[in-house]
Amino acid sequence: DMKVTQMPRYLIKRMGENVLLECGQDMSHETMYWYRQDPGLGLQLIYISYDVDSNSEGDIPKGYRVSRKKREHFSLILDSAKTNQTSVYFCASRSGNTLYFGEGSRLIVV
Amino acid sequence: GDSVTQMQGQVTLSEDDFLFINCTYSTTWYPTLFWYVQYPGEGPQLLLKVTTANNKGISRGFEATYDKGTTSFHLQKASVQESDSAVYYCALNVGDNSKLIWGLGTSLVVNP
């Protein structure tokens, strides 16, 4: 069964703190994604990774960076979190043209 | 550019009602079209997909037909249940592009 795991599931951070969201998949999928989901805005693509150390900006990359040192892991990093980065973040991996999503990480920045 | 439009932000129905969620798309390429469903507290998951080759997708009682003439890919279900309450996303993929183009989602609420 294809599974994408996100950690942590819930996180509260103060403005200016660093945030690390981690994502793992055990299917050896090459392509992985980070999205954020906000009410009324749907799913917005932050970054896409085509394989280890092969990452591209999505539609809203500002304020975020990513790291992919192993095919199975894809991290999203917020350096100096801002209140407008409060959101639910989803990681996904791709098999064929189907995306498999994790359960999400809810980040609150206060 | 490529785009997907879901005009209905929320649909409220009673059990056993007929469901129709509107989705239209725009692309100059041959698309693969998707419906994803997101249940509360979960990530989106694929409900069904259709290519220009197979025209119609059916899954779990839902169906969607790709209509090139009207560039539409509406989602239908004959009789909804309370457990169908979720957010439904229409999405578009063209060629070998890794990016999906997403609609804004339609929240379905089914009352018992």
Side-chain angles (χ1 to χ4, degrees):
Chain A
D1 202 21
M2 301 199 180
K3 187 168 179 63
V4 176
T5 304
Q6 292 186 233
M7 293 292 289
R9 294 291 312 280
Y10 302 95
L11 191 59
I12 299 176
K13 286 287 194 178
R14 296 186 185 278
M15 200 167 53
E17 290 185 329
N18 298 333
V19 177
L20 173 65
L21 302 180
E22 300 192 271
C23 175
Q25 49 101 358
D26 59 359
M27 302 160 283
S28 213
H29 292 164
E30 293 178 353
T31 305
M32 297 184 72
Y33 308 78
W34 276 105
Y35 287 92
R36 66 177 282 176
Q37 184 179 53
D38 301 287
L41 297 180
L43 292 161
Q44 299 178 82
L45 180 64
I46 306 172
Y47 267 93
I48 181 171
S49 174
Y50 297 100
D51 210 331
V52 171
D53 286 331
S54 179
N55 308 316
S56 291
E57 295 180 345
D59 300 319
I60 54 161
K62 188 177 178 182
Y64 304 94
R65 62 183 174 92
V66 292
S67 175
R68 193 159 178 210
K69 297 302 181 184
K70 293 183 179 181
R71 181 174 282 185
E72 297 76 22
H73 294 113
F74 189 33
S75 301
L76 180 69
I77 302 132
L78 289 67
D79 295 314
S80 187
K82 300 173 180 54
T83 55
N84 63 8
Q85 293 178 308
T86 291
S87 187
V88 181
Y89 292 86
F90 286 98
C91 174
S93 68
R94 184 184 192 218
S95 175
N97 57 11
T98 299
L99 267 60
Y100 295 88
F101 285 84
E103 293 187 312
S105 295
R106 180 176 293 274
L107 170 66
I108 298 174
V109 183
V110 298
Chain B
D2 303 324
S3 66
V4 173
T5 301
Q6 288 180 254
M7 295 299 293
Q8 302 152 288
Q10 179 162 311
V11 173
T12 302
L13 298 172
S14 299
E15 281 197 324
D16 298 324
D17 281 351
F18 172 74
L19 170 68
F20 180 91
I21 299 179
N22 186 293
C23 173
T24 57
Y25 66 91
S26 174
T27 181
T28 56
W29 299 91
Y30 293 102
T32 299
L33 297 157
F34 305 83
W35 280 101
Y36 278 79
V37 58
Q38 183 179 20
Y39 298 104
E42 299 182 11
Q45 58 181 272
L46 180 67
L47 178 59
L48 53 83
K49 66 179 175 182
V50 166
T51 67
T52 53
N54 61 356
N55 231 39
K56 186 172 186 175
I58 299 174
S59 174
R60 308 183 223 172
F62 293 86
E63 66 177 67
T65 301
Y66 160 61
D67 187 327
K68 186 180 178 183
T70 59
T71 62
S72 66
F73 187 54
H74 309 314
L75 183 69
Q76 302 180 71
K77 187 177 185 184
S79 176
V80 293
Q81 303 302 306
E82 190 177 1
S83 58
D84 293 324
S85 296
V87 178
Y88 292 82
Y89 287 97
C90 183
L92 164 73
N93 186 224
V94 293
D96 198 30
N97 194 329
S98 295
K99 286 188 181 181
L100 262 66
I101 310 298
W102 296 87
L104 291 180
T106 298
S107 176
L108 171 64
V109 176
V110 181
N111 295 313

